[in-house]
Amino acid sequence: MKQRKKNIAQKFMFMSASAALGLSLFAASPASAANNEHTNKKPSFEFGLISDIQYCDCDTSGVRYYRNSISKLQEATATLNQHNLEFTVQTGDLIDRNVESFNTILPYFNKIEGKKYHLLGNHDFAVPTDEVVDILGMKNQYYDFAEKGWRFVVLDTNDISMYANEPGSPKYQQAEKMYNQLKASGANNAQPWNGGVGTEQMAWLHNVLKKSAKNHEKVVIIGHHPVYPANEHNTWNDAEIMQELESAGNVVAYFNGHNHAGNYGEKNGIKYVNFEGMLDTPDTNAYAVVKAFKNRLEIDGFGRVADRTIEVNPIQEHH
């Protein structure tokens, strides 16, 4: 609970500063008053989210405290299990290297109560893709599921990459071509630890979004790599992915990890939230409980993850 108290203290300091500037709570605008009015309503459901646990029985390197991920995950588990969560998702990079690390960290992750969903991260490919999928008990590299009016779409942003595919395979050759083109253009996301979403998966994404719009569902996309704002960690074909999300009309947010420092951006009605990595720092944690309401998502952040409210645009809500 240490991290939670720290968050509360930070919020109190912010409120005190606001009061000192003469921002009276009683002078709230009608819009903010309406917002305050609905904050106490019960959410439809809640879910947990953890990014970049990246465990390894390895010595600390820079800001990466590999062994400390066990105690941080234990702390997160204790807090998450105090909530009645519909599910918990980890956004990839459960391990840093060495396939044996799965045997150590998975039992800790599995102590989180309720349904659990995995994403593939670039560090998870200590073994070929099919073996990683089997180890994590995933039904596929990318998939989707629904919860009470919301559709969650899990992408595999390692689909076209040079670490998730066998050298010489069609996808490896495609990755080399995409990487070299980006490198030649001077793109800052032309990094070997990034990847892209392939043609087959893009077609699948288009169909899922089309069906979800027809069913009047609000959509959250979850990937390992970010797509916005522009960053060296971004998916290679970030612009193509964003165009697909924007054209759907009902995508509320894109959640991801990979960039351990975290990030945030808004573009054409979609909110892009890059969650901070649990791995970094010796003892400050990073995880969140997300509360889903009909017209918004409330991110209750712990440790380095900030609190955030994501409003659903009317066009997304009634699409």
Side-chain angles (χ1 to χ4, degrees):
M1 298 301 290
K2 180 180 177 183
Q3 298 299 334
R4 190 74 192 119
K5 289 179 180 177
K6 183 178 178 182
N7 276 6
I8 292 170
Q10 289 172 339
K11 291 172 194 171
F12 179 76
M13 287 171 65
F14 175 77
M15 289 173 64
S16 299
S18 298
L21 290 169
L23 300 179
S24 169
L25 293 175
F26 297 102
S29 66
S32 61
N35 190 52
N36 289 338
E37 188 179 328
H38 73 207
T39 51
N40 292 326
K41 291 183 180 179
K42 189 177 179 182
S44 302
F45 62 93
E46 301 180 22
F47 64 94
L49 190 145
I50 306 173
S51 290
D52 300 272
I53 296 168
Q54 215 162 315
Y55 167 77
C56 179
D57 184 13
C58 306
D59 293 338
T60 299
S61 176
V63 297
R64 301 189 172 193
Y65 293 78
Y66 301 104
R67 295 189 180 99
N68 295 19
S69 287
I70 290 180
S71 59
K72 289 179 185 177
L73 182 54
Q74 287 177 310
E75 178 189 305
T77 298
T79 303
L80 294 177
N81 285 347
Q82 292 174 8
H83 294 257
N84 183 26
L85 302 179
E86 282 294 327
F87 62 89
T88 296
V89 59
Q90 66 89 9
T91 66
D93 283 0
L94 185 61
I95 65 166
D96 182 78
R97 70 199 87 158
N98 307 330
V99 66
E100 297 81 11
S101 295
F102 283 120
N103 295 331
T104 301
I105 201 66
L106 263 176
Y108 289 104
F109 182 78
N110 287 335
K111 288 181 181 177
I112 299 173
E113 296 169 2
K115 291 177 288 188
K116 287 168 279 289
Y117 294 103
H118 294 281
L119 273 74
L120 297 174
N122 54 299
H123 282 272
D124 293 320
F125 292 92
V127 291
T129 303
D130 289 347
E131 292 183 43
V132 181
V133 169
D134 288 343
I135 289 170
L136 296 176
M138 299 170 66
K139 60 182 180 182
N140 195 22
Q141 293 162 238
Y142 50 90
Y143 55 93
D144 65 297
F145 60 95
E147 289 287 353
K148 300 174 183 174
W150 289 82
R151 173 73 50 181
F152 294 86
V153 182
V154 173
L155 296 182
D156 175 19
T157 54
N158 317 276
D159 187 13
I160 305 299
S161 68
M162 294 179 290
Y163 52 79
N165 299 292
E166 291 291 331
S169 66
K171 282 190 175 182
Y172 186 94
Q173 292 175 346
Q174 190 179 345
E176 277 189 318
K177 183 179 179 181
M178 192 181 292
Y179 172 76
N180 289 332
Q181 287 175 341
L182 284 171
K183 196 80 172 173
S185 70
N188 66 350
N189 63 331
Q191 307 292 343
W193 26 262
N194 292 334
V197 174
T199 305
E200 185 179 322
Q201 187 180 173
M202 287 298 297
W204 169 84
L205 173 62
H206 176 81
N207 290 332
V208 169
L209 292 178
K210 186 177 179 181
K211 185 177 179 181
S212 70
K214 187 177 180 180
N215 293 334
H216 304 288
E217 294 174 321
K218 295 174 286 290
V219 176
V220 175
I221 309 291
I222 310 177
H224 179 66
H225 296 79
V227 295
Y228 186 82
N231 187 275
E232 66 174 354
H233 295 86
N234 281 18
T235 310
W236 286 341
N237 56 335
D238 49 5
E240 180 187 7
I241 295 168
M242 280 192 291
Q243 184 177 2
E244 186 65 55
L245 305 190
E246 290 172 10
S247 65
N250 63 334
V251 176
V252 176
Y254 181 100
F255 291 168
N256 66 272
H258 190 52
N259 176 7
H260 298 183
N263 208 347
Y264 179 78
E266 299 180 19
K267 188 172 185 288
N268 295 333
I270 301 174
K271 317 304 191 291
Y272 296 86
V273 187
N274 188 149
F275 288 83
E276 288 78 359
M278 178 177 277
L279 169 73
D280 292 28
T281 78
D283 53 13
T284 304
N285 219 327
Y287 59 98
V289 171
V290 184
K291 300 174 183 179
F293 296 80
K294 182 184 177 184
N295 62 346
R296 70 194 187 280
L297 296 171
E298 291 184 1
I299 299 173
D300 189 6
F302 293 81
R304 298 195 300 129
V305 177
D307 291 354
R308 200 180 297 277
T309 297
I310 296 174
E311 301 285 350
V312 174
N313 292 336
I315 191 172
Q316 295 166 329
E317 188 173 350
H318 302 295
H319 196 276

